[in-house]
């Protein structure tokens, strides 16, 4: 069973992407800087001033779509692609209706009905969602001025195959934003396909090393930064992680 097709993960991601800060983290002494992650993947990593008019953007592994909508603040057309049929159905309901109901997990079987809402000032007509496999994307997607891959790379069975497609997807001068906590797990990625997180020939290889090896011919690394994020599992359990964002420009 793909965990990204379950009720639990769907509700967790709707809250992660659309929950108000005080709802996701009702504790003043908690890690507030980790809130609003999908928004910060765009606001802290995209160089909006460099975008052409009517820019096209692609959000690969978009889940329930918050970063896709955030990209639409700056781009005329945004495509969000995810492997999870349920995530894309929810994202598409948000696109069409601007909102979707879900049940927030509280404790055991206790839940609270909630409404996820797309910020009303975002032009939802700029956004399109579809299911797809980031390692086997359909033809005719066209070229993009921005490609965002947020917390995707360490969930792919063959991340190098996904990276190999990127030069053909990003326009010269275009922006590629990859964020990840680099949580390599064999249940998602066979060890021989990990980009980093191992010793080879007596040397520690990091995921940043692996990304540079795969991308440097076609992309220049412009900046890196830490991006903390917080996922609320239930009322008293939270996952706090620190993704690394690597920001690249197509040569
Ligand atoms: C850790 S979540 C991150 C989602 C979102 N980008 C975020 O930052 O919240 C990983 C996402 O990648 C999707 N995914 C996993 N394998 C995929 C694949 N081969 N192609 C496209 N999406 C995939 C999952 O369905 C899930 O939505």
């Amino acid at each position: 069973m793909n965990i990204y097709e379950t009720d639990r993960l769907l509700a967790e991601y709707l809250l992660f992407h659309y929950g108000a800060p005080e709802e996701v983290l009702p504790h003043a002494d908690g890690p507030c800087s980790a809130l609003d992650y999908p928004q910060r993947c765009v606001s802290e990593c995209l160089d909006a001033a460099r975008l052409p008019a009517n820019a096209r953007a692609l959000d690969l592994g978009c889940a329930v779509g918050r970063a896709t909508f955030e990209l639409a603040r700056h781009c005329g057309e945004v495509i969000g692609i995810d492997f999870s049929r349920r995530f894309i159905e929810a994202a598409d309901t948000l696109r069409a209706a601007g909102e979707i109901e879900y049940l927030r997990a509280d404790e055991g079987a206790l839940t609270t009905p909630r409404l996820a809402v797309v910020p009303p000032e975002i032009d939802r007509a700029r956004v399109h969602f579809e299911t797809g496999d980031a390692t086997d994307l359909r033809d005719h997607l066209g070229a993009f001025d921005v490609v965002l891959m947020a917390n995707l790379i360490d969930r792919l069975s063959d991340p190098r195959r996904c990276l190999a497609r990127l030069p053909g997807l990003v326009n010269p001068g275009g922006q590629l934003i990859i964020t990840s906590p680099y949580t390599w797990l064999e249940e998602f990625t066979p060890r021989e396909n990990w980009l980093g997180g191992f010793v080879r020939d007596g040397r520690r290889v990091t995921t940043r090393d692996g990304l540079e090896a795969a991308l440097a011919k076609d992309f220049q690394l412009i900046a890196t930064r830490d991006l903390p994020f917080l996922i609320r599992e239930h009322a008293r359990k939270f996952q706090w992680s620190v993704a690394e964002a690597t920001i690249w420009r197509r040569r």
Side-chain angles (χ1 to χ4, degrees), residues 20-33 35 230 232 234-238:
E22 59 279 11
E23 180 179 17
V24 177
L25 184 64
H27 302 282
D29 54 351
C32 300
S33 66
L35 293 165
L230 188 78
R232 177 194 179 281
H234 60 70
R236 297 184 179 279
K237 186 170 182 214
F238 303 81

Side-chain angles (χ1 to χ4, degrees), residues 69-121:
F69 288 117
E70 293 298 319
L71 286 164
R73 293 183 192 271
H74 309 282
C75 301
E77 181 191 353
V78 191
I79 300 179
I81 296 181
D82 199 280
F83 197 64
S84 163
R85 187 184 47 79
R86 291 199 68 201
F87 278 12
I88 288 296
E89 277 174 9
D92 206 41
T93 298
L94 282 154
R95 181 197 58 77
E99 59 185 43
I100 190 172
E101 293 177 345
Y102 67 102
L103 294 176
R104 188 190 70 194
D106 290 335
E107 178 184 326
L110 299 178
T111 58
T112 302
R114 299 299 301 158
L115 190 65
V117 178
V118 181
E121 68 277 14

Side-chain angles (χ1 to χ4, degrees), residues 37-237:
Y37 180 69
Q39 295 95 308
R40 285 186 293 112
C41 284
V42 175
S43 63
E44 297 185 22
C45 299
L46 179 72
D47 187 348
R50 286 186 62 88
L51 291 174
N54 270 320
R56 295 187 79 226
L58 174 65
D59 182 6
L60 269 184
C62 63
V64 292
R66 179 59 184 268
T68 320
F69 288 117
E70 293 298 319
L71 286 164
R73 293 183 192 271
H74 309 282
C75 301
E77 181 191 353
V78 191
I79 300 179
I81 296 181
D82 199 280
F83 197 64
S84 163
R85 187 184 47 79
R86 291 199 68 201
F87 278 12
I88 288 296
E89 277 174 9
D92 206 41
T93 298
L94 282 154
R95 181 197 58 77
E99 59 185 43
I100 190 172
E101 293 177 345
Y102 67 102
L103 294 176
R104 188 190 70 194
D106 290 335
E107 178 184 326
L110 299 178
T111 58
T112 302
R114 299 299 301 158
L115 190 65
V117 178
V118 181
E121 68 277 14
I122 292 176
D123 182 358
R124 305 195 310 276
R126 297 178 174 191
V127 170
H128 165 84
F129 290 105
E130 62 185 65
T131 53
D133 181 348
T135 63
D136 190 18
L137 290 168
R138 68 172 170 86
D139 293 335
H140 311 301
L141 275 171
F144 297 89
D145 304 294
V146 184
V147 173
L148 169 66
M149 297 166 52
N151 292 8
L152 172 70
I153 199 82
D154 57 0
R155 289 295 168 266
L156 297 175
S157 58
D158 190 350
R160 282 186 191 82
R161 197 177 146 101
C162 174
L163 298 176
R165 178 79 190 271
L166 292 174
L169 284 176
V170 184
N171 285 323
Q175 302 175 50
L176 168 65
I177 301 164
I178 299 177
T179 71
S180 173
Y182 307 149
T183 306
W184 296 106
L185 293 169
E186 285 183 284
E187 67 185 275
F188 295 104
T189 317
R191 207 178 176 100
E192 64 270 21
N193 290 348
W194 292 6
L195 294 179
F198 50 79
V199 173
R200 187 169 54 207
D201 302 330
R203 194 180 139 255
R204 287 165 64 91
V205 179
T206 65
T207 304
R208 172 108 66 95
D209 295 331
L211 287 170
E212 296 217 48
L215 293 172
K217 181 166 123 346
D218 300 288
F219 293 88
Q220 182 189 356
L221 181 60
I222 301 295
T224 66
R225 61 181 46 119
D226 289 336
L227 279 188
F229 65 94
L230 188 78
I231 297 180
R232 177 194 179 281
E233 286 190 25
H234 60 70
R236 297 184 179 279
K237 186 170 182 214

